[in-house]
Amino acid sequence: MTGILYRPRGDRGAASTQLVLVVPALLLLALLVVQFALVWHARHIAQYAAQRALAAARTEHGTQADGQVQARHSLAALGGRILTSPSVAVERTAAQTTARVTGTVMAVIPGLTLHASGTASGPTERLTAVGGRP
């Protein structure tokens, strides 16, 4: 009796080929999940900074500059690396105050540029007399 067994040779290396094709796709998918989680986090940072800017700018003696300074402090404390190159715009009128914070999200995937923004708006505080008139 001979010890020769017949083995088909057509599938040799198939697992390596599948691994080479599947692993990069899975890594890209994982990086996309991380990237969009960073976008979500950056939107929350921008919204928080806009709310803080609104709170500072809408007070009776507040100014647009007060709102911008407060937003910059909030961004420095929370989003220095996540929300890059942020811009802060505060508009204050006698009746309404609006703060907008926008920036670019840190890129995990090279070449992918995403932006995040936050806006907060509310009435400008002012003293009124008992009858409701200023």
Side-chain angles (χ1 to χ4, degrees):
M1 185 159 131
T2 62
I4 300 174
L5 298 174
Y6 176 72
R7 290 185 187 169
R9 305 271 181 193
D11 288 338
R12 178 175 259 176
S16 297
T17 303
Q18 291 171 357
L19 196 62
V20 166
L21 295 174
V22 170
V23 169
L26 289 176
L27 286 175
L28 180 64
L29 182 65
L31 287 175
L32 281 171
V33 168
V34 170
Q35 183 69 66
F36 285 104
L38 284 174
V39 169
W40 179 76
H41 184 56
R43 284 182 183 162
H44 281 90
I45 289 171
Q47 186 63 38
Y48 175 76
Q51 289 173 351
R52 298 286 294 169
L54 175 66
R58 74 188 285 195
T59 61
E60 182 184 3
H61 299 292
T63 63
Q64 292 176 343
D66 293 337
Q68 290 178 345
V69 167
Q70 184 60 44
R72 297 271 180 216
H73 284 299
S74 298
L75 289 169
L78 293 176
R81 296 189 60 190
I82 304 291
L83 191 63
T84 60
S85 60
S87 66
V88 178
V90 179
E91 299 172 14
R92 186 176 196 271
T93 64
Q96 190 78 11
T97 303
T98 303
R100 289 183 188 88
V101 177
T102 60
T104 305
V105 181
M106 178 179 76
V108 174
I109 300 172
L112 184 62
T113 304
L114 298 172
H115 301 279
S117 64
T119 303
S121 184
T124 303
E125 295 178 357
R126 57 191 171 115
L127 289 178
T128 58
V130 177
R133 293 185 180 153

